[in-house]
Amino acid sequence: MINTQPTVTIWNEYRQEQTDPAVQAIYPHGIHAPIADHLRHQNITTHIATLDQPQHGLTPERLAQTDVLIWWGHRHHHEVDDAIVTRIHERITLGGMGFIALHSSHFAKIFCQLMGTTCKLKHAVRGEQERLWCVSPTHPIATGLPERITVPQTEMYGEFFDIPTPDELVFVSSFDNGEVFRSGCCWRRGRGKVFYFRPGHETYPIYYQPEILQLLTNAVQWAAPSGLQTVTYGREGRDW
Ligand code: ZN
């Protein structure tokens, strides 16, 4: 029987968890670990790749076997090799791999390249509550979720978020001070689907929250490649 579940690779800088006690306390096995555990529990094959591995763990073979790449970057975006960024970009736009950018990955080279904008935003660590409102209840990423998810403590991100207008906006956040933010945004880039998801600061246990894990699983299913496997181009009678 063919396994129809997508294969996921989670990419993580994986430095702060090894050097910063505050981050270590929340994510002792890496911020990727609870997400990977949850996906594997859903029978989704999940690989881990990190910044300090050769080729950042993203060899052509690994990317070719990846249906959806989840990305966590924060402090070391600039250390990601441009050649690897190009490789990921091609795998998304030409190969149809899905891409999910988490939280501070708004400044990841690959995300900025996919967007073509600065991806700047406002931010403040005040430990406040976040309300994540679903604004597209029939979207696949909203499946099975409540209309509002409360994150007890979070870092605030505020508008204006300098991104291209999303093809589909699924979640909007509001914060204690009145700021709002487009927290769940979908785009198509070539053959690939891209999802940006805001919650997830490294000193709060957000990626252990069941609704957040469900949402990310939905996002993986949505972002997985779909549609025609091959397309023929060229001249009538010679090529097709
Ligand atoms: Zn943060």
Side-chain angles (χ1 to χ4, degrees), residues 6-231:
T7 296
V8 171
T9 298
I10 306 179
W11 188 88
N12 182 9
E13 279 181 6
Y14 199 34
R15 293 239 184 109
Q16 275 188 292
E17 298 97 322
Q18 302 182 75
T19 54
D20 184 339
V23 180
Q24 222 160 32
I26 308 287
Y27 294 106
H29 305 294
I31 201 162
H32 58 272
I35 302 171
D37 287 349
H38 183 80
L39 293 175
R40 287 168 181 154
H41 229 82
Q42 318 298 313
N43 290 321
I44 295 172
T45 302
T46 303
H47 303 284
I48 307 302
T50 64
L51 178 61
D52 292 321
Q53 290 174 333
Q55 303 185 54
H56 311 316
L58 299 173
T59 60
E61 296 75 26
R62 167 60 62 226
L63 285 176
Q65 291 162 7
T66 299
D67 295 313
V68 180
L69 178 63
I70 300 176
W71 194 273
W72 172 273
H74 182 212
R75 294 267 171 86
H76 306 282
H77 300 304
H78 61 284
E79 291 183 48
V80 177
D81 193 298
D82 288 338
I84 307 290
V85 175
T86 300
R87 182 185 294 169
I88 301 164
H89 191 266
E90 287 181 359
R91 176 77 184 108
I92 296 167
T93 59
L94 306 181
M97 180 179 74
F99 184 77
I100 299 173
L102 300 174
H103 188 63
S104 44
S105 305
H106 67 93
F107 269 159
K109 282 184 184 178
I110 178 60
F111 185 69
C112 293
Q113 187 173 331
L114 287 163
M115 295 297 106
T117 53
T118 69
C119 301
K120 289 180 178 177
L121 47 78
K122 296 182 181 69
H123 58 102
V125 180
R126 303 184 291 225
E128 66 208 274
Q129 195 180 77
E130 172 176 9
R131 294 160 192 84
L132 189 66
W133 301 89
C134 181
V135 295
S136 183
T138 59
H139 195 279
I141 300 180
T143 302
L145 295 172
E147 64 177 331
R148 185 185 76 178
I149 296 170
T150 301
V151 177
Q153 278 197 303
T154 197
E155 175 186 23
M156 186 281 297
Y157 278 5
E159 297 280 350
F160 178 61
F161 181 20
D162 185 19
I163 48 172
T165 299
D167 298 332
E168 296 167 293
L169 181 63
V170 191
F171 299 98
V172 170
S173 291
S174 61
F175 300 90
D176 288 346
N177 264 23
E179 292 99 344
V180 295
F181 194 79
R182 290 168 290 170
S183 278
C185 306
C186 301
W187 298 266
R188 305 264 175 164
R189 287 293 180 269
R191 301 189 119 205
K193 285 171 257 172
V194 178
F195 182 60
Y196 173 78
F197 187 62
R198 192 215 82 81
H201 188 68
E202 66 279 2
T203 55
Y204 302 116
I206 296 167
Y207 294 143
Y208 294 99
Q209 253 187 266
E211 307 101 312
I212 300 293
L213 290 167
Q214 175 65 50
L215 190 156
L216 291 175
T217 306
N218 292 349
V220 163
Q221 299 289 1
W222 171 81
S226 59
L228 294 173
Q229 292 303 303
T230 54
V231 175

